[in-house]
Amino acid sequence: MNDRPDSYDFDGLMACARGELFGEGNAQLPAPPMLMMDAIGHIAAEGGDHGKGIVKAEYEVRPDRWFFECHFLGDPVMPGCLGLDGLWQLTGFFLGWSGLKGRGRALGGGEVKLTKMITPEVKRLDYEVHMRRVIDRKLKMGVADGVVFADGEPAYAVKDMRVGLFQDG
């Protein structure tokens, strides 16, 4: 599909956040603290549960992460929406990596399950995004399923999440 790398370290993710990876006006990741991953360990145009592509990423959970200080005072837990946002971020990254043009925006999702709390005791999150469909017409959109694992156990899952790419103007 393209000749891009199949993994990205933190510097590569930051190049994407600055708009350097896919070109001006195209898919970008957010910068920290909203960047919800430390590295993409694997990205491929084939494979995954639906054969349409896969992205795997990881995130170190530390007790000093910003969200533990402000989400439920005295009861630190990572907001589920941040884990879901990480999955949307990876879906948008996949679209940019695939060569599609436009700025990424989350468009929603289907069924969402939050089955495990991510607390300061958790050490690592692993993300998996399994592409269901990539639409490359006037509408540019990815549809995917995603799972967030907390220390190897499923914590968050979403089916049919959607990310679109939009041109400026």
Side-chain angles (χ1 to χ4, degrees):
M1 182 179 272
N2 63 47
D3 59 357
R4 296 197 186 272
D6 64 1
S7 64
Y8 292 84
D9 62 11
F10 187 75
D11 291 337
L13 300 181
M14 289 306 299
C16 184
R18 292 187 300 269
E20 300 165 0
L21 201 54
F22 305 130
E24 187 175 334
N26 294 314
Q28 286 179 252
L29 288 168
M34 286 303 299
L35 179 63
M36 295 308 299
M37 68 214 64
D38 299 320
I40 293 175
H42 179 68
I43 184 169
E46 292 84 28
D49 290 348
H50 313 291
K52 305 284 185 173
I54 188 165
V55 188
K56 293 184 177 187
E58 54 267 359
Y59 182 69
E60 180 187 2
V61 179
R62 298 185 314 263
D64 67 345
R65 290 288 187 183
W66 65 274
F67 44 79
F68 288 134
E69 296 176 21
C70 58
H71 190 241
F72 301 135
L73 297 178
D75 183 17
V77 64
M78 178 177 150
C81 60
L82 292 180
L84 298 175
D85 197 66
L87 294 169
W88 277 315
Q89 291 173 22
L90 290 165
T91 303
F93 186 94
F94 181 90
L95 296 176
W97 177 85
S98 297
L100 300 182
K101 303 297 182 193
R103 295 184 187 276
R105 298 292 184 263
L107 298 176
E111 180 181 329
V112 175
K113 290 184 181 180
L114 306 177
T115 56
K116 179 178 174 62
M117 289 187 294
I118 297 170
T119 64
E121 291 74 35
V122 170
K123 302 296 182 218
R124 177 180 159 137
L125 301 184
D126 289 288
Y127 295 90
E128 287 186 11
V129 171
H130 299 266
M131 300 304 298
R132 282 185 167 275
R133 188 169 177 206
V134 176
I135 299 167
D136 183 11
R137 295 191 294 265
K138 183 175 181 182
L139 170 68
K140 310 231 183 273
M141 185 172 70
V143 181
D145 297 337
V147 181
V148 179
F149 296 91
D151 291 338
E153 295 182 35
Y156 308 152
V158 61
K159 291 191 178 295
D160 294 322
M161 67 182 151
R162 295 175 299 283
V163 173
L165 296 180
F166 300 90
Q167 302 291 323
D168 288 338

